[in-house]
Amino acid sequence: MLKLLIVDDEEIICNTIASVIPWEELGITLVGTCLDGVEAYHTILDESPDIVMTDIRMPGISGLELIERISNTNLNTQFIILSGYGEFEYAKAAFRLGVDNYLLKPIQPQEFTQIILRIADKLEKE
């Protein structure tokens, strides 16, 4: 099973995504939720999730900085950015870091599920 970590400084967002999506049915193990980038960084190093869904703006380490730090490791982590900020500069920076999925809040569970399945398929082919 693939492992997923959810990172957002809004606890209600983390809890909602964690509880609304049927992770087990998708072949995904939810390894946890983090409320800031520092906690997420350490959790990623400890748990080695295959997929990390992260916000852009968070205390400690931003989502973009988190992605950059993890890209300097030997982990093959796929990132999904889920943000309330639609500014093109954020998206451009994310794409430069290799992020293929930049989603704007709010997002429908079906749309999120489709993206997770697409990433899972990509990872299984690798």
Side-chain angles (χ1 to χ4, degrees):
M1 282 188 117
L2 295 174
K3 298 189 293 185
L4 174 101
L5 177 68
I6 300 169
V7 185
D8 198 299
D9 61 339
E10 294 182 56
E11 189 170 6
I12 193 162
I13 300 282
C14 285
N15 293 339
T16 300
I17 294 171
S19 64
V20 172
I21 308 288
W23 299 111
E24 294 288 322
E25 292 175 23
L26 300 176
I28 304 283
T29 299
L30 181 62
V31 296
T33 60
C34 298
L35 298 176
D36 64 61
V38 174
E39 179 187 9
Y41 178 73
H42 293 293
T43 302
I44 292 168
L45 295 179
D46 291 343
E47 297 289 337
S48 302
D50 302 288
I51 305 168
V52 174
M53 192 265 353
T54 184
D55 194 3
I56 288 272
R57 288 190 185 171
M58 298 180 293
I61 299 174
S62 73
L64 292 174
E65 187 178 345
L66 175 66
I67 293 165
E68 187 171 12
R69 287 185 182 196
I70 295 303
S71 70
N72 291 325
T73 69
N74 59 355
L75 295 173
N76 183 27
T77 305
Q78 301 295 307
F79 285 89
I80 300 169
I81 292 179
L82 181 59
S83 180
Y85 301 98
E87 289 91 1
F88 182 66
E89 289 305 312
Y90 285 131
K92 196 163 77 172
F95 293 131
R96 268 196 308 268
L97 291 170
V99 175
D100 293 331
N101 297 286
Y102 189 103
L103 310 172
L104 294 177
K105 296 175 188 174
I107 185 170
Q108 296 300 314
Q110 309 90 301
E111 183 181 357
F112 192 70
T113 300
Q114 289 174 342
I115 289 164
I116 292 292
L117 290 173
R118 190 174 69 234
I119 292 171
D121 187 53
K122 175 185 172 185
L123 287 169
E124 288 173 4
K125 288 179 181 175
E126 290 179 353

